Amino acid sequence: MKEYTVVFQPGDAAVEVSAASTIMEAMDKAGIDFDFPCGGRGKCGKCRVRVLSGAGGPTAAEREILGPRELSAGTRLACAAKVHGHMSVELPQRLEHNVLMASGERNCRIEPHLKKIFVNVEKPSLSAQRSDWRRLKDSLAQYGYGTAHLDIPVALLRRLPETMRRADHCLTVVMHGSEAAGIEEHDTTAAMLGMALDIGTTTIVGYLLDLYSGKELCAVSMLNPQTRFGADVISRINFANREDGGLDKLHKAVLEAVNKLIGEAAGKAGVGREQVYGVSIAANTCMHHLFLGVNPRNIAVSPYVSAVSEPLVTGARDLNIDINPSGKIFMLPNIAGFVGADTSAVLLATELNKSQDIKLVIDIGTNGEIALGSRERMAACSAAAGPAFEGAQISGGMRGAAGAIDHVRFEAGLAYSVIGGGRPLGICGSALLDAVAGLLELGIINKRGKLLPRDQLTNAAAELKDRLVEQEGQSAFLLAGADKTGHGRPVMITQSDIRELQLAKGAIAAGIRVLMETLGIGPGDIREVLLAGAFGNYLNPRSACVIGLIPPELENKIKMIGNAAGTGAKLALLSSSEYRKAAQIAEFVEFVELGSYPGFNGIFARNTYF
Amino acid sequence: MKEYTVVFQPGDAAVEVSAASTIMEAMDKAGIDFDFPCGGRGKCGKCRVRVLSGAGGPTAAEREILGPRELSAGTRLACAAKVHGHMSVELPQRLEHNVLMASGERNCRIEPHLKKIFVNVEKPSLSAQRSDWRRLKDSLAQYGYGTAHLDIPVALLRRLPETMRRADHCLTVVMHGSEAAGIEEHDTTAAMLGMALDIGTTTIVGYLLDLYSGKELCAVSMLNPQTRFGADVISRINFANREDGGLDKLHKAVLEAVNKLIGEAAGKAGVGREQVYGVSIAANTCMHHLFLGVNPRNIAVSPYVSAVSEPLVTGARDLNIDINPSGKIFMLPNIAGFVGADTSAVLLATELNKSQDIKLVIDIGTNGEIALGSRERMAACSAAAGPAFEGAQISGGMRGAAGAIDHVRFEAGLAYSVIGGGRPLGICGSALLDAVAGLLELGIINKRGKLLPRDQLTNAAAELKDRLVEQEGQSAFLLAGADKTGHGRPVMITQSDIRELQLAKGAIAAGIRVLMETLGIGPGDIREVLLAGAFGNYLNPRSACVIGLIPPELENKIKMIGNAAGTGAKLALLSSSEYRKAAQIAEFVEFVELGSYPGFNGIFARNTYF
């Protein structure tokens, strides 16, 4: 029989097929990965391609689905159109989706981890007595699964014979790599949702996405219920190891929360939770381990190693995650004990590994994760900032919640803003930064962090001298007094508060310094500073630079990028190649352990100065 | 640095390595699969190879372990000896083990499915902060797992950090392909047992084997407890589908039995059941499905398809099989609804696929599985013989148990033997065959199976004419009368018994006939007839040929091969390549559905004649 050459664009894959083969058969022969949701029966119209010459006349199915306009433009159905001459076929571009970051967006080509394939399985007969699973595999062979060894879990096998017959042999198979992860009756290819989760120590944020279009259906968040067992990573590790069944309690608490959040998101979007097939997880190393039920103990003791850093895929059922039973959980990779999968996600979102220019990425929290580098080289560390940025250990400190002073200005007298308005109840991290920066610029605090006595103040500062008070034997600056009725506590910044901030900013600044030393660069070599996370998006860049949290030379290069860990989780969920990229990034980053860095104590001490 | 060529024998794999590399490193580079139980530390002496030239002087470890005699013969330790010139290395032959069949044995090269690898994992330090799993993988890299993606189940990951530290980082990893299936403290490489099981409808037989040496430690057997839910395959399928929770009851009954049997075998051999890492299962398709908990319903209704025919590997834990938790269950492949994994096992044991000569293999039971062919082509069918061979539906019929007449001779008068001696309680299948064959040769039964009236007997038969009696309105032949005291039932062969036998032998003979037709051959082309299974090993070949159960031309070619299904299960357990071969055989065999074979009813009817 006559053979013709079919060339596929883009990619230039070429294949010889005999006359009257369908384009679908040619694709199969060329090993082109393409979905035929209706099983190549010319029903769904989802295999549109563009053909310039060499095809036979349109079939009835093509006429019905495509109509004269599409046909005259060369559009054909790959499953129906036949090869009658040498042919060039233009394949549709795969869907690219914009994944939003607070200040900018990046494209990602959608490549779902899981594929849904609708098949019309051959019915058994005395002349087709192959087993159910074999006939199903033979149907899958048209979709490129012909040569691979396919796996099926026993649990699924138990349901196969009945499901198959109840659905009159029309099945949708959920494939994960070479494993048949799920089997559903009839054509369910339309629904394929996923949830990207950023499990923070304090807050869990989730995004419900359509895995085909990449569209975000809704975002949800909740307090991490593990907080009742400890506010920070270290106290949870202690709880896991000192309390009876502590690890299990922490593990179950986060699973319950995740299940609740998925339910909430599904409800909000008006879909069923069983339509969710994939969940990606970005989290710090401790949250990552607790989610899996792995004891994070060794993260907390020298030499601070995690149990696992590699990306891990596990069945939703194995972890009791209440989504479609065939669903999979995709854990992003950790980098080190205190630089977790959340940082991998941030680096994936910011594409540091692709950048020609050197960038600095900082995610400030109780631990500040810092990464510096470009596609040439990348280093990361975790700086133990302590809780000052979150308002803890500060005399009037509180979280950035209603009633907190969140920003302070000293232009034309002292002014501050309160979250939700009204009388201030306390001060949160971003305002502490502003206040200290202002006092520093006014000369009320010196470079070593000392609140100067009234008689040493400059003229400019003298206007505020009445605010310098004594408080329990130490100097303090009165930010907001009690109200006229004498109600409420005055909000002060004490000398100890300033010392706490110095320790926190010293840790971050020293981390940045060490990373610069590691790469042999200075602040002038850094093109951009990307601030991720809640605190990073709230602080005033100028204040951060004035107090030396961030090198002052970089003030105009600071960009807020929102919840970049969440963005990274979305990317890893929508695209298997982004997920693989996260693993490459985690491998590529050089982890710098600050505790063992030569001369670190000196660097830290110097950086506590303003 | 200077490079030398190292050539490995047998196999001629050649590799270039730099001077002073160890032979172990050269093996690794050449991709040679070899075990270094002590981790290549020159401690265990298990990596002996023979080197003729090119090696450096022996190391202290080699001197200690090998001694002057081995050293002078060229024996070296691959982990210690260094390459100092072009080198030819003789690898030890892998262990070949004889697997016994009743009449003959065959060799199998031992290639365990699971490997135990003892590793000394690098301890974490501030300069080695890789995760636990990563450091373990790095240790495995020396054993050829360097480039592969390795999997670890979450359940194992949960135990990893503690196990690792408790064992001071000395671990034995149980590998199954690229999956770390188990992690044990310290060096447990010495113990690696497996159980080969043949799950019959009536009897379960198990063999406990050492997976390294292939040595059989003991054999055990028990009644399949499913018999209380139905004696044969069809009644169990009915029970599974008509009773509430019927499937589950059958599934649990066989699991319990298997667990009991494994415990019994371990007890007998004086080992712990947790030393068992692999279980292979040969069973007919229905028993196979019930073992997995898969409903066998569709096997029993036209077109008689199974849910799964492919080989399946599943975790011991997933099936609640009580062996080492990292153990795996290896299901042999089914061929069709009524030609199961037991037949695949028989064919693997008999190596029909390697035979130049055409052989006929018969496993007679309620269903007779018949296979015919050679390495060129092979066909198999299942003949519904019914229960006559097992003594059911026969007036005086019983199983081959104590009290059963098991053989009958007509030389020099009528004589019979009784199992266990004493008065006969009934007659089992083999004796029915003998009796009918004898009556046929004497002319008491004609070709159509009719017991002739006394007046039509030949002289020879006349001696027995008093034994021709009337029994409930039909002719019968009295085999054993009531005893002198009048106790006990007389044992007769009635006209209906003969009809039952005709149906049974007709089914088998017709099956053989159809297979011969399918392959286009006659009895003269068959070199050997292999009878497998309990009944096959008990019957008198001559009787089988006289009544035409087996073509008479083949009488001298009959060989009993014992429990060949059990032998096949052993082979599949000891060697992963034998297991793969079973799958190839199951694929290769052409299944012939007798019910839809053209003209089958006529063939069957003709074959009911003697």
Side-chain angles (χ1 to χ4, degrees), chain A residues 409-492:
Chain A
R409 270 172 302 118
F410 288 89
E411 304 148 19
L414 177 67
Y416 56 76
S417 56
V418 176
I419 299 178
R423 234 203 76 73
L425 302 174
I427 183 171
C428 74
S430 53
L432 181 63
L433 237 66
D434 290 347
V436 173
L439 297 174
L440 196 61
E441 286 187 313
L442 287 165
I444 297 175
I445 297 175
N446 71 8
K447 291 276 167 198
R448 297 186 157 259
K450 189 169 164 18
L451 271 170
L452 297 178
R454 290 186 185 193
D455 56 1
Q456 288 181 27
L457 295 187
T458 60
N459 289 343
E463 289 180 31
L464 296 168
K465 67 170 190 288
D466 290 346
R467 291 183 176 263
L468 284 170
V469 295
E470 280 286 308
Q471 170 74 3
E472 293 171 10
Q474 61 170 323
S475 319
F477 180 85
L478 181 71
L479 204 57
D483 72 6
K484 287 159 200 161
T485 65
H487 279 326
R489 222 165 43 122
V491 181
M492 315 219 183

Side-chain angles (χ1 to χ4, degrees), chain A residues 124-126 129 131-134 137 157-158 161 165 292-293 298 303 305-307 309-310 312 319 587 591 593, chain B residues 124-125 129 131-134 137 157-158 161 165 292-293 298 303 305-307 309-310 312 319 587 591 593:
Chain A
S125 68
L126 288 172
Q129 291 186 305
S131 73
D132 292 342
W133 170 228
R134 180 53 185 270
K137 283 203 290 187
L157 207 48
R158 288 181 183 144
R165 283 163 184 82
L292 289 176
N298 300 302
V305 300
S306 61
S309 48
E310 285 77 1
L312 271 180
L319 271 178
E587 281 279 313
F591 170 67
E593 167 62 37
Chain B
S125 69
Q129 291 186 306
S131 72
D132 292 343
W133 170 228
R134 180 54 185 269
K137 283 202 290 187
L157 207 49
R158 289 180 183 145
R165 283 162 184 83
L292 289 176
N298 300 303
V305 299
S306 62
S309 48
E310 285 77 1
L312 272 179
L319 271 178
E587 281 280 313
F591 170 67
E593 166 63 36

Side-chain angles (χ1 to χ4, degrees), chain B residues 193-198 204-211 218-221 258-266 276-281 321 323 328-330 569-570 573:
Chain B
L193 306 180
M195 189 94 181
L197 286 166
D198 170 22
I204 307 178
V205 185
Y207 308 90
L208 184 65
L209 305 179
D210 181 317
L211 297 183
C218 69
V220 286
S221 73
V258 163
N259 280 332
K260 205 172 144 192
L261 214 52
I262 293 170
E264 190 188 323
V276 177
Y277 288 83
V279 174
S280 64
I281 307 280
I321 297 296
I323 57 172
K328 298 282 171 186
I329 313 296
F330 302 91
K570 289 186 210 172
L573 179 65

Side-chain angles (χ1 to χ4, degrees), chain A residues 40-309:
Chain A
R41 292 168 300 145
K43 305 244 160 168
C44 70
K46 287 188 182 163
C47 61
R48 282 173 166 84
V49 292
R50 218 164 133 253
V51 177
L52 297 180
S53 66
T59 64
E62 288 183 283
R63 269 196 221 98
E64 193 188 318
I65 290 181
L66 300 172
R69 240 173 86 181
E70 283 201 88
L71 279 170
S72 68
T75 302
R76 303 296 299 266
L77 297 184
C79 68
K82 289 191 171 157
V83 179
H84 283 294
H86 299 307
M87 187 184 266
S88 170
V89 176
E90 213 177 290
L91 299 171
Q93 292 292 325
R94 289 201 221 176
L95 212 52
E96 293 236 342
H97 175 71
N98 291 330
V99 178
L100 286 175
M101 289 200 287
S103 58
E105 50 185 33
R106 92 172 188 73
N107 277 334
C108 119
R109 173 173 287 190
I110 291 181
E111 292 174 34
H113 295 269
L114 296 135
K115 282 190 189 166
K116 274 192 166 184
I117 299 172
F118 175 65
V119 286
N120 208 327
V121 181
E122 187 183 358
K123 286 182 191 166
S125 68
L126 288 172
S127 54
Q129 291 186 305
R130 283 133 45 234
S131 73
D132 292 342
W133 170 228
R134 180 53 185 270
R135 295 192 327 282
L136 177 55
K137 283 203 290 187
D138 288 347
S139 302
L140 288 169
Q142 311 166 40
Y143 300 94
Y145 293 102
T147 47
H149 168 82
L150 300 188
D151 279 317
I152 182 166
V154 172
L156 208 56
L157 207 48
R158 288 181 183 144
R159 294 199 298 107
L160 178 63
E162 208 186 326
T163 308
M164 211 168 191
R165 283 163 184 82
R166 211 164 39 212
D168 203 25
H169 284 72
C170 295
L171 297 175
T172 299
V173 187
V174 184
M175 294 297 303
H176 177 243
S178 64
E179 184 206 20
I183 286 164
E184 300 175 357
E185 294 178 40
H186 308 300
D187 187 352
T188 67
T189 51
M192 186 81 145
L193 307 180
M195 190 94 180
L197 285 166
D198 170 23
I199 304 181
T201 310
T202 307
T203 311
I204 308 179
V205 185
Y207 307 90
L208 184 65
L209 305 179
D210 181 315
L211 298 183
Y212 288 134
S213 67
K215 205 183 140 203
E216 183 175 317
L217 304 183
C218 68
V220 286
S221 73
M222 69 184 288
L223 190 73
N224 187 336
Q226 293 178 338
T227 45
R228 71 175 180 268
F229 306 115
D232 55 40
V233 164
I234 298 298
S235 58
R236 291 199 206 153
I237 293 177
N238 287 339
F239 183 86
N241 291 291
R242 291 190 189 151
E243 296 289 321
D244 252 6
L247 174 62
D248 200 45
K249 277 181 199 159
L250 288 164
H251 174 54
K252 291 216 171 110
V254 66
L255 290 191
E256 245 171 59
V258 163
N259 281 332
K260 204 172 143 190
L261 214 51
I262 293 169
E264 190 188 323
K268 224 165 142 178
V271 299
R273 64 192 311 146
E274 74 289 345
Q275 289 183 29
V276 178
Y277 289 84
V279 175
S280 64
I281 306 280
N284 64 51
T285 310
C286 178
M287 293 306 115
H288 169 284
H289 280 37
L290 291 176
F291 178 79
L292 289 176
V294 174
N295 197 323
R297 183 196 290 126
N298 300 302
I299 299 173
V301 292
S302 177
Y304 317 109
V305 300
S306 61
V308 61
S309 48

Side-chain angles (χ1 to χ4, degrees), chain B residues 8 23 78 198 222 232-233 268 280 299 380 396 414 474 490 505:
Chain B
F8 294 97
I23 296 176
D198 170 22
M222 69 185 287
D232 56 40
V233 163
K268 224 166 142 178
S280 64
I299 298 173
L414 176 69
Q474 62 170 325
K505 85 100 189 174

Side-chain angles (χ1 to χ4, degrees), chain A residues 1-4 17-21 83-84:
Chain A
M1 197 182 270
K2 215 160 156 34
E3 294 260 316
Y4 294 112
V17 296
S18 53
S21 301
V83 179
H84 283 294

